Amino acid sequence: MRELLSGNEAVARGAYEAGVALAVSYPGTPSTEILETLADVFPQVYSQWSPNEKVAFEVAIGASIGGGRALCTMKHVGLNVAADPFMTFAYTGVNGGFVIVSCDDPEMHSSQNEQDNRTYAKFAAIPMLNPSSSQESKDMLVTGFEMSEMFDTPVMLHMTTRISHAKGIVELNDVVAGPNKKFIKDPSKYVMIPTNARKRHVVVAERMEKLRHFAEETPFNVVENNGSKIGVITGGVSYQYTKEVAPDLDYLKLGMGFPLPMKKIEQFIKSHDRIFIVEELEPFWEEMIKAAGFLQVEGKKYFGALGELSPIRVAHGLKEAGVISSVTEPVYSAGDMFPRPPVLCPGCPHRGAFMALKKLGVAVTGDIGCYTLGVMEPLNALDTCICMGASIGNAIGMERVKGSEKGTVAVIGDSTFVHSGITGLLDAVWNQSNVTIIILDNRATAMTGGQQHPATGKTLMGADSPSLNLVELVKALGVKNVKELDPYDFDLVLNTIKTEMETPGPSVIITNRPCVLMPVRIMNEPYVVDSELCTACGACFRISCPAIAASHETNKHGHPKALIDETLCTGCTLCTQVCPPEAIMLKSHFVKA
């Protein structure tokens, strides 16, 4: 039986076929759909969101040590959060099989950097598999669990955006029952005090040697001989791009990307006149192969290390290298594309806070989520965005050195606050920082599609659960000044921020409007503009609402009057609150002259 599946859906299918006992994650593009598919299609596999990636990884470790096969998935930057348990788990090894799926985001379609997480596999000395298709995504996941148990190691399945989201035909198999394991007390293996850790480090080194032999034998590292004197070493989505451009070249496809099969690579290099290494982002394979003495291989000087590869980029690289004679289509950079800047949604409950912060002119430390879009024109309301949970710590430091004369405010979403903002707030309380923190609570992990988190009252699998009370939590952390308010009341938001910034000690303001898109789209009665009253002052344009546009009518100075798209307007009222001539009114109140 076959199905058309995305790479992420294929991984979920593979988890089912591999008899995974527990799957866990924190949502993050491009990995999110793996857990969503498991919860929707394969409820036999217990699946859960955790508050952040570190906790998710630790939950999966517990399941593995307990004897069950465990799957942990996350986007590339998520592994930074989970790096502490990740590095040590490489020492302890597993009981039930363990696979970490790390999904990179080349070109930063929805990320703050484009790190190459293949380096994490080398860093931790664990094997890495990198699929080139949906079929391989499923097959390699199943094999990854077998390898994990065979070599007593966590295994990384490394994916990228195009493998995660592109669809392909996948041959389905029956469920393969994993070994029936139980927890076995073994502190020398699982308690990493220094005396035990030193011994386990030796085990890791010995295991790596065994894995190098395995890499030479695995069918995932395969030579495709087409009779060419030019060979390409590649893998992952780069294999698909290069095959599309130059199908007649010879290929060494690295399905197991670490450790490398150096004997097979040496044989491949020696049997060809020229060797190219095509890989996205860092010269991960190129550097290791050159370090092994094969300095003649060529790669990044033709294909570059920045951004996402594509067939066109590969074609231009091969043309520059003299391998192909012509390329008809030019390479377009992101800057060449028609500008379509992201913007907060019509009716977004975060807009009122950013309007107030801009008006106050304070320094605003931001965080990861929809609200990062507050940095865009014309709001221009964010000054920093570093990583998940960083906004509060950034504000503490900025306030301590009086970096902003007008004061500092941190903004953070509800999911991000639970993810890693709580400790930042605890720091603010402990060290009595005079920062004001706005928790933009929209009751969802909205940026990645509206997933649940500990304050939403639902689990990934749809069960009811206790809903974290953010107000009580903040008070319990020691914050004395806590205000909950409606972000659509602009004057209230503005005055509350002013008041809290003048109050000694840390203050927390929690906004309480849900996301306008989730769980159901909110569409209240729309507003319209009375062009007879509109003076074209532009005040409503400055709130950056996509429902408001310039009309063809102008005032005597040629400035355009406003027009509201009724199909987009959610009736949030913010534009009416900033309109000096009161030209914006409910549609039912408008009487045409």
Side-chain angles (χ1 to χ4, degrees):
M1 183 177 176
R2 299 191 297 174
E3 282 189 18
L4 184 65
L5 300 176
S6 70
N8 283 349
E9 291 167 337
V11 169
R13 173 73 198 190
Y16 166 70
E17 292 184 5
V20 165
L22 178 145
V24 58
S25 178
Y26 177 81
T29 305
S31 68
T32 309
E33 297 83 2
I34 299 172
L35 266 286
E36 289 182 329
T37 303
L38 277 168
D40 289 344
V41 183
F42 305 107
Q44 306 91 328
V45 178
Y46 172 76
S47 306
Q48 69 168 54
W49 298 127
S50 281
N52 63 37
E53 292 87 351
K54 179 175 183 288
V55 176
F57 202 97
E58 291 157 349
V59 169
I61 288 175
S64 171
I65 293 175
R69 284 185 167 179
L71 173 68
C72 188
T73 73
M74 58 192 66
K75 69 181 298 176
H76 61 305
V77 290
L79 195 50
N80 300 337
V81 180
D84 204 355
F86 170 71
M87 296 300 292
T88 301
F89 193 45
Y91 274 34
T92 70
V94 307
N95 185 18
F98 186 107
V99 176
I100 168 70
V101 180
S102 178
C103 296
D104 284 7
D105 183 17
E107 205 66 48
M108 296 172 278
H109 296 286
S110 57
S111 305
Q112 65 270 40
N113 69 40
E114 57 179 9
Q115 68 191 43
D116 189 335
N117 272 20
R118 294 179 300 171
T119 57
Y120 260 121
K122 185 172 184 289
F123 191 20
I126 67 168
M128 176 191 67
L129 304 173
N130 37 282
S132 297
S133 65
S134 294
Q135 181 71 59
E136 289 186 351
S137 298
K138 181 184 80 73
D139 294 344
M140 288 184 178
L141 184 80
V142 176
T143 301
F145 281 105
E146 296 166 352
M147 287 175 59
S148 176
E149 289 154 358
M150 184 187 309
F151 293 100
D152 188 16
T153 177
V155 173
M156 175 185 287
L157 185 73
H158 177 258
M159 299 174 67
T160 56
T161 304
R162 301 303 168 186
I163 297 298
S164 288
H165 291 167
K167 293 210 171 190
I169 298 294
V170 177
E171 190 76 36
L172 307 184
N173 296 321
D174 295 331
V175 176
V176 178
N180 184 20
K181 294 191 173 186
K182 299 293 181 185
F183 170 64
I184 300 172
K185 288 180 74 68
D186 190 354
S188 66
K189 186 172 189 290
Y190 297 122
V191 180
M192 285 300 97
I193 56 176
T195 52
N196 291 338
R198 292 187 193 107
K199 295 173 184 172
R200 291 300 304 180
H201 199 178
V202 175
V203 173
V204 170
E206 293 172 345
R207 181 181 72 200
M208 188 53 62
E209 287 304 308
K210 296 175 184 173
L211 285 165
R212 289 192 175 96
H213 290 295
F214 182 83
E216 303 287 350
E217 300 165 357
T218 176
F220 289 143
N221 292 331
V222 60
V223 173
E224 297 179 8
N225 192 340
N226 296 306
S228 172
K229 296 307 291 180
I230 297 175
V232 178
I233 299 174
T234 185
V237 74
S238 302
Y239 165 78
Q240 300 287 6
Y241 295 156
T242 317
K243 282 283 286 185
E244 183 176 331
V245 172
D248 295 332
L249 301 182
D250 285 1
Y251 287 87
L252 171 51
K253 179 184 170 190
L254 297 174
M256 183 175 175
F258 185 81
L260 289 178
M262 292 309 304
K263 291 180 180 176
K264 188 172 282 187
I265 288 171
E266 179 180 4
Q267 186 177 12
F268 188 72
I269 291 173
K270 289 182 175 177
S271 61
H272 292 85
D273 294 340
R274 293 183 75 183
I275 291 290
F276 294 93
I277 299 174
V278 184
E279 55 188 330
E280 274 188 329
L281 299 178
E282 300 302 315
F284 180 71
W285 291 325
E286 185 177 340
E287 286 183 352
M288 283 192 286
I289 292 170
K290 284 183 174 176
F294 304 108
L295 300 178
Q296 69 271 41
V297 300
E298 304 169 270
K300 284 300 168 188
K301 67 178 179 180
Y302 296 120
F303 306 107
L306 304 180
E308 188 174 27
L309 280 186
S310 67
I312 299 302
R313 276 188 63 179
V314 172
H316 277 269
L318 291 176
K319 179 177 179 295
E320 185 181 350
V323 176
I324 59 178
S325 57
S326 64
V327 183
T328 56
E329 191 172 340
V331 174
Y332 295 101
S333 69
D336 296 328
M337 301 294 128
F338 182 79
R340 201 173 58 172
V343 65
L344 294 172
C345 298
C348 175
H350 305 331
R351 181 170 281 104
F354 286 131
M355 290 163 56
L357 290 168
K358 182 179 182 181
K359 186 165 187 174
L360 292 170
V362 298
V364 180
T365 56
D367 224 297
I368 306 292
C370 298
Y371 48 93
T372 314
L373 297 176
V375 72
M376 304 299 292
E377 295 275 1
L379 288 172
N380 295 327
L382 280 189
D383 296 295
T384 70
C385 177
I386 306 298
C387 66
M388 290 286 283
S391 62
I392 299 176
N394 293 162
I396 293 169
M398 187 173 288
E399 184 275 333
R400 187 61 66 184
V401 301
K402 307 298 180 189
S404 169
E405 292 181 359
K406 293 187 176 181
T408 305
V409 174
V411 294
I412 187 168
D414 46 331
S415 184
T416 310
F417 178 68
V418 174
H419 177 284
S420 49
I422 295 172
T423 46
L425 181 56
L426 195 58
D427 186 290
V429 173
W430 184 22
N431 292 299
Q432 283 302 287
S433 173
N434 291 312
V435 295
T436 298
I437 297 148
I438 303 177
I439 300 176
L440 300 164
D441 181 8
N442 62 2
R443 297 282 114 182
T445 311
M447 184 74 165
T448 48
Q451 289 77 24
Q452 308 293 343
H453 63 68
T456 63
K458 288 283 186 183
T459 70
L460 169 61
M461 301 186 79
D464 294 329
S465 67
S467 177
L468 175 66
N469 187 317
L470 293 178
V471 173
E472 294 302 318
L473 171 65
V474 169
K475 288 180 179 176
L477 290 172
V479 179
K480 295 178 180 176
N481 306 308
V482 185
K483 299 287 189 300
E484 189 174 12
L485 52 73
D486 180 354
Y488 289 153
D489 188 334
F490 178 65
D491 287 340
L492 177 62
V493 174
L494 184 67
N495 293 327
T496 303
I497 295 174
K498 280 184 189 175
T499 300
E500 294 306 317
M501 290 187 68
E502 294 168 356
T503 304
S507 297
V508 174
I509 299 168
I510 302 174
T511 63
N512 61 7
R513 287 276 188 171
C515 174
V516 291
L517 300 178
M518 303 158 196
V520 293
R521 189 175 184 186
I522 297 171
M523 290 295 288
N524 293 322
E525 182 182 353
Y527 281 74
V528 296
V529 178
D530 186 335
S531 61
E532 296 294 324
L533 297 177
C534 180
T535 62
C537 68
C540 58
F541 295 147
R542 291 191 285 274
I543 73 171
S544 187
C545 177
I548 303 174
S551 79
H552 295 298
E553 289 190 59
T554 61
N555 64 8
K556 61 183 180 182
H557 303 294
H559 297 153
K561 296 185 177 184
L563 182 70
I564 292 179
D565 184 338
E566 297 175 29
T567 64
L568 295 178
C569 178
T570 67
C572 77
T573 77
L574 281 173
C575 58
T576 69
Q577 297 176 54
V578 299
C579 178
E582 299 182 351
I584 301 175
M585 59 198 72
L586 278 169
K587 183 179 180 182
S588 60
H589 293 179
F590 177 61
V591 179
K592 200 167 185 178

